[in-house]
Amino acid sequence: MSYTFTVSPDFSPNYLAGWYIFNTWLQIQTGEAIHFELYDDFQAQRTAIQANQIDLIYANPFDAAMLVREKGFLPLVKAEGISDEAIIAVNANNPVEDVAQLSTGIRVAVTEDPDVHMIGMIMLEAGDLDASNIQTCFCNNHILIVKNLIQDKVDVGIFLAKAFDDLSNLTKKQLKILVRSQISVIHHSLMISPKLAERRTEIQALLLSMNNDDKGKNVLNSLGFNAWAKVEDEEMEFMIDLMDTLII
Amino acid sequence: MLQDMQLENIVGEYKEVTLNLYGSIPRKIYYTDIETPYPDGKLIVSTTDKAGIITHVNQSFVEMSGYREEELINAPHSILRHPDMPAVAFKDLWDTVNKGAKWQGIVKNLRKDGGYYWVKATVIPNIRNGQVVGYTSVRRKPSRTKVNECIQLYPTLF
Ligand SMILES: Cc1cc2nc3c(=O)[nH]c(=O)nc-3n(C[C@H](O)[C@H](O)[C@H](O)COP(=O)(O)O)c2cc1C
């Protein structure tokens, strides 16, 4: 039997090679044939999930409810110490210091990453802004958001905080952070489909001990973190409930 | 059960009132005009059992309410009940979640030191294996416009 592994389409291009290496590691460790499949966008990935074509996924929190509650996926692990946070930034020359000073009609640049978009919108809501009174400009990646901000083609950018923090200092100097989220309980998670449920404990143990040898450590480093941390069922349910309160 | 508020914890000039919690249980509270601004970028989270007894709070909840975590766990959620909040708001909250639906509203909360903070709260039932096991409330920063609307509206609902 062969399985399919996929990663939330918002992964950073810096880690593309890392995910391929991780997939190879998984195949060796589990002794299974696992095919790594990437989707162009969230919609295409959701269609594949609905069609039961996915067995393992590094999932965006936004899709966790559908995966767990509709498709019976089970959480395994998350990247240790990493949560999904968003930053609202403007051009450094913009006199605005607080989202409350932003006016309606502004152009807001975001990527397709649904949880970052959602967290960003919640922070803009404090300034009476919502999808109906701003212009949303979707960008393929955060570099394009930066470009649009610097060239004054948009007024506000919503960034994954990690992506913003990884920008060069020169770039960051041209931008100004208005607000950074500190939520800490919203995170991507590696999950398995019910087809692999019987092997859950075993695969979880493999992942949790991955940082104990040099080979595993190198694979983790190529993904941008140091270890996996276990995600209990109730932690996942709690995150899904939390996302649910934020979706309206 | 909930103790009366303690004067030694109150900061600033205060007023005194007795609230009837659960419709009948009196609690003496002291409250001031000092507002603590909602912290940017944070969510204030708590979970209760089916009766509204707190079972979980996050760090932002502890910081904003002014209580220690040990004081909050096992306390009724009305520990934050502010006298300026109309009872109909909470009746609506409970009616809504009891139907299994989401409730959203702007709430003025009372701090341990007598001060207050405004939140935009969303409350949902926690459903596990098809059963409601409790409720979760997640608060975000409300806009000043929304808060000002409530400052006008709430006194008319008593
Ligand atoms: C999950 C959850 C969160 C709540 N959060 C608050 C809150 O922050 N402040 C508050 O005054 N009441 C809150 N309530 C409502 C209280 O349970 C209570 O109904 C309210 O304080 C009024 O008190 P009373 O019902 O005893 O009259 C919450 C209820 C639930 C289920």
Side-chain angles (χ1 to χ4, degrees):
Chain A
M1 183 155 187
S2 142
Y3 297 101
T4 301
F5 169 51
T6 188
V7 174
S8 167
D10 59 1
F11 71 89
S12 158
N14 299 346
Y15 304 131
L16 176 60
W19 286 114
Y20 275 101
I21 299 168
F22 176 70
N23 188 59
T24 307
W25 180 91
L26 260 180
Q27 296 193 75
I28 296 168
Q29 298 290 323
T30 58
E32 298 287 353
I34 303 172
H35 167 68
F36 184 48
E37 180 80 43
L38 282 176
Y39 295 90
D40 288 341
D41 53 50
F42 281 91
Q43 211 33 61
Q45 188 174 76
R46 286 177 194 140
T47 307
I49 296 164
Q50 287 300 339
N52 302 324
Q53 289 164 359
I54 303 299
D55 308 297
L56 276 138
I57 182 170
Y58 189 61
N60 188 287
F62 209 84
D63 289 330
M66 182 258 288
L67 286 162
V68 172
R69 295 190 179 165
E70 288 172 38
K71 302 306 267 179
F73 274 65
L74 301 164
L76 297 174
V77 289
K78 62 179 175 185
E80 190 178 75
I82 295 183
S83 60
D84 294 5
E85 306 290 352
I87 279 179
I88 305 277
V90 294
N91 188 308
N93 299 325
N94 193 325
V96 164
E97 296 288 343
D98 187 306
V99 291
Q101 296 164 354
L102 294 168
S103 36
T104 57
I106 52 166
R107 296 154 302 177
V108 178
V110 293
T111 62
E112 300 275 354
D113 182 349
D115 76 323
V116 171
H117 189 188
M118 178 195 77
I119 299 169
M121 290 308 293
I122 282 172
M123 294 193 289
L124 289 179
E125 193 187 314
D128 283 313
L129 299 172
D130 60 50
S132 73
N133 63 14
I134 60 166
Q135 293 176 51
T136 307
C137 315
F138 284 99
C139 296
N140 276 331
N141 55 58
H142 65 278
I143 302 298
L144 288 174
I145 303 183
V146 172
K147 225 170 135 186
N148 281 317
L149 276 174
I150 291 175
Q151 296 174 353
D152 282 323
K153 288 185 179 149
V154 299
D155 305 290
V156 167
I158 299 176
F159 292 88
L160 172 69
K162 174 85 169 70
F164 188 96
D165 292 339
D166 287 347
L167 293 170
S168 73
N169 283 334
L170 193 67
T171 307
K172 277 189 267 193
K173 271 201 195 108
Q174 296 174 268
L175 303 170
K176 174 164 63 180
I177 297 180
L178 295 186
V179 45
R180 172 194 289 267
S181 75
Q182 292 168 267
I183 298 174
S184 78
V185 285
I186 297 179
H187 53 78
H188 280 57
S189 327
L190 190 62
M191 300 195 213
I192 46 171
S193 77
K195 256 193 265 172
L196 281 165
E198 277 176 18
R199 302 191 59 185
R200 182 187 195 187
T201 320
E202 174 204 343
I203 300 174
Q204 213 166 29
L206 286 169
L207 292 162
L208 291 172
S209 60
M210 201 171 162
N211 56 322
N212 292 345
D213 66 77
D214 286 343
K215 207 148 184 216
K217 237 185 241 164
N218 287 337
V219 179
L220 288 167
N221 289 341
S222 66
L223 293 173
F225 51 90
N226 300 322
W228 292 109
K230 190 171 178 177
V231 177
E232 303 285 355
D233 288 332
E234 182 48 34
E235 180 185 350
M236 179 54 67
E237 292 290 341
F238 178 77
M239 186 182 83
I240 292 172
D241 280 348
L242 195 119
M243 294 292 292
D244 196 16
T245 69
L246 298 179
I247 286 167
I248 52 165
Chain B
M1 255 300 113
L2 270 182
Q3 290 181 348
D4 289 342
M5 283 174 83
Q6 301 300 309
L7 260 184
E8 73 228 36
N9 296 323
I10 305 302
V11 177
E13 246 181 82
Y14 61 88
K15 285 183 251 178
E16 183 179 325
V17 71
T18 298
L19 293 177
N20 279 318
L21 298 175
Y22 294 97
S24 61
I25 301 161
R27 182 185 190 218
K28 189 186 282 179
I29 62 147
Y30 304 105
Y31 62 110
T32 74
D33 283 337
I34 303 170
E35 176 166 8
T36 301
Y38 193 103
D40 272 328
K42 295 197 182 180
L43 297 176
I44 301 175
V45 183
S46 63
T47 297
T48 69
D49 64 11
K50 287 208 285 186
I53 304 295
I54 299 174
T55 52
H56 163 83
V57 291
N58 73 349
Q59 186 54 29
S60 301
F61 191 111
V62 171
E63 285 164 16
M64 285 301 280
S65 70
Y67 290 98
R68 283 176 288 116
E69 184 170 349
E70 312 86 86
E71 296 175 290
L72 292 164
I73 302 298
N74 293 325
H77 220 307
S78 45
I79 188 167
L80 303 186
R81 172 84 157 86
H82 197 283
D84 293 348
M85 279 303 292
V88 286
F90 298 114
K91 181 177 181 318
D92 185 47
L93 182 162
W94 281 103
D95 288 349
T96 307
V97 296
N98 280 333
K99 279 187 299 197
K102 266 185 214 181
W103 182 86
Q104 207 163 49
I106 308 280
V107 179
K108 184 176 188 174
N109 274 329
L110 179 65
R111 288 166 52 91
K112 183 179 179 178
D113 67 7
Y116 66 91
Y117 56 102
W118 284 98
V119 301
K120 175 173 174 178
T122 308
V123 184
I124 57 157
N126 305 125
I127 298 164
R128 304 286 183 267
N129 305 314
Q131 301 288 317
V132 174
V133 295
Y135 302 98
T136 292
S137 176
V138 177
R139 295 91 175 167
R140 47 180 114 160
K141 185 175 179 172
S143 78
R144 212 57 223 177
T145 324
K146 291 269 157 47
V147 169
N148 289 336
E149 280 168 24
C150 293
I151 292 173
Q152 299 298 314
L153 174 70
Y154 287 168
T156 69
L157 300 178
F158 281 83

